[in-house]
């Protein structure tokens, strides 16, 4: 397993669970100085930063791109894949497709989190899950062009009412024959929803393709009441070799948070 840290350039997400909000040259330098293997990018959209600029920062700092988030589609543009308005759903899938192509040029998968939306009002749960499956079919195929998967993230009940558990996510991928889609195990969401986080990881097994490595309070690991040992053991047991990515609040300050998280990741993997 490898370490990653979130870099956010989305002003609307300034209070979100992202560690460094500095301009990218400074943020890449800070991640590299602390010894991270990669950065996870949360950008305003597919044209916010040029691929050349990111590649040159990667080369300068020897950092991989672990993943790119798509949440700006929701927080900036109010787009979701389960919007009752077909033109909004169309715009949402276009935004995601462009983010997949952006990430793909950096060998990085894109993540679907908040843009999955919710069911309710005029939209039934079955209808929303059917629209989501259609979009995931498109996203999985598009990501495949870049030889990367597309990452689907079950969220806690306060953020979506679609899929809140890894097991539901795994069953959904299988039932809809969704190919090239992996699940994101965000330990913060899992701490709220799963009865046993390590067991949920064992059960989801090969479907897990990315991990947001947060403690129970969504601070750096070691700040809350999560015991990382059985979680790491479960990830090893299922053969997970991807990133433990610091999608956590930058508290008590970004540097202390980032330093504690890399220490916790290194300890867990030693
Ligand atoms: C995104 O990765 C996530 O975990 C969400 O809670 C934020 O939209
Ligand atoms: Mn997450």
């Amino acid at each position: 397993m490898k370490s990653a840290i979130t870099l956010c350039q989305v002003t609307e997400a300034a209070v979100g669970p992202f560690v460094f909000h500095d301009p990218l040259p400074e943020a890449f330098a800070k991640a590299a100085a602390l010894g991270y293997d990669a950065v996870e990018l949360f950008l305003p959209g597919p044209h916010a930063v040029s691929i050349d600029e990111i590649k040159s920062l990667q080369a300068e700092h020897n950092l991989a791109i672990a993943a790119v988030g798509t949440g700006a589609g929701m927080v900036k543009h109010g787009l979701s894949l389960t919007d009752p308005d077909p033109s909004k759903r169309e715009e949402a899938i276009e935004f995601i497709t462009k983010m997949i192509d952006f990430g793909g040029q950096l060998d990085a998968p894109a993540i679907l989190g908040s843009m999955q939306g919710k069911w309710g009002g005029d939209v039934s749960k079955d209808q929303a899950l059917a629209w989501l499956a259609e979009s995931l079919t498109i996203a999985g195929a598009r990501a495949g062009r870049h030889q990367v998967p597309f990452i689907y993230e079950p969220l806690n009940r306060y953020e979506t009412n679609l899929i809140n558990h890894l097991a539901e996510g795994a069953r959904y991928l299988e039932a809809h024959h969704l190919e090239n889609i992996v699940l994101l195990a965000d330990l913060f969401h899992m701490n709220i929803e799963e009865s046993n986080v390590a067991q949920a990881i064992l059960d989801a097994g090969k479907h897990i393709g990315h991990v947001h490595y947060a403690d129970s309070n969504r601070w750096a690991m070691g700040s809350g009441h999560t015991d990382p040992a059985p979680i790491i053991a479960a990830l090893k047991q299922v053969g997970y070799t991807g990133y433990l990515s610091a999608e956590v609040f930058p508290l008590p300050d970004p540097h202390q948070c980032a330093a504690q998280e890399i220490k916790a990741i290194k300890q867990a993997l030693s």
Side-chain angles (χ1 to χ4, degrees):
M1 285 178 254
K2 298 161 283 183
S3 58
I5 187 160
T6 47
L7 311 186
C8 177
Q9 298 283 287
V10 181
T11 43
E12 291 84 348
V15 296
F18 308 107
V19 181
F20 290 129
H21 295 258
D22 317 73
L24 289 181
E26 283 92 320
F28 269 72
K30 288 180 180 180
L34 284 161
Y36 281 92
D37 297 314
V39 293
E40 180 172 323
L41 300 174
F42 196 73
L43 301 175
H47 308 299
V49 188
S50 77
I51 295 288
D52 284 351
E53 182 182 345
I54 294 179
K55 284 192 171 167
S56 105
L57 288 168
Q58 281 189 265
E60 186 182 346
H61 297 291
N62 192 26
L63 285 164
I65 308 299
V68 298
T70 60
M74 169 58 86
V75 298
K76 276 189 93 68
H77 309 293
L79 297 174
S80 109
L81 295 173
T82 50
D83 194 295
D85 179 344
S87 68
K88 288 279 192 183
R89 293 200 301 280
E90 189 62 33
E91 265 185 73
I93 192 66
E94 264 174 41
F95 185 89
I96 285 170
T97 302
K98 286 184 185 149
M99 289 307 293
I100 291 170
D101 290 344
F102 174 78
Q105 292 174 75
L106 302 164
D107 299 322
I111 299 172
L112 175 64
S114 58
M115 280 192 78
Q116 67 192 271
K118 297 175 182 170
W119 66 271
D122 292 339
V123 180
S124 69
K125 184 170 187 180
D126 284 352
Q127 178 63 83
L129 288 171
W131 284 335
L132 181 63
E134 278 172 31
S135 296
L136 287 174
T137 303
I138 295 168
R142 189 76 180 201
R145 290 193 195 177
H146 304 283
Q147 281 91 48
V148 293
F150 184 69
I151 304 173
Y152 172 66
E153 180 171 22
L155 302 173
N156 74 68
R157 67 190 72 180
Y158 306 106
E159 297 187 36
T160 189
N161 52 13
L162 293 173
I163 292 176
N164 304 123
H165 298 90
L166 283 195
E168 279 177 279
R171 277 197 302 275
Y172 178 74
L173 298 186
E174 286 167 13
H176 291 271
H177 308 288
L178 295 172
E179 284 172 22
N180 201 32
I181 309 289
V182 292
L183 296 177
L184 201 167
D186 181 321
L187 302 186
F188 167 73
H189 299 303
M190 293 179 74
N191 174 63
I192 295 170
E193 297 296 344
E194 307 286 357
S195 51
N196 181 318
V197 173
Q199 189 59 49
I201 289 169
L202 293 174
D203 294 343
K206 64 175 172 38
H207 290 293
I208 298 173
H210 197 64
V211 173
H212 281 158
Y213 198 63
D215 211 323
S216 52
N217 52 1
R218 217 175 204 181
W219 287 35
M221 190 60 78
S223 314
H225 55 73
T226 297
D227 176 5
I231 294 171
I232 295 292
L235 288 167
K236 284 184 179 161
Q237 201 175 319
V238 301
Y240 179 72
T241 56
Y243 289 100
L244 300 179
S245 186
E247 188 192 69
V248 292
F249 288 120
L251 297 169
D253 63 56
H255 179 77
Q256 284 189 64
C257 163
Q260 179 171 325
E261 178 88 344
I262 190 72
K263 194 170 142 214
I265 292 174
K266 287 193 169 159
Q267 260 169 12
L269 299 180
S270 66

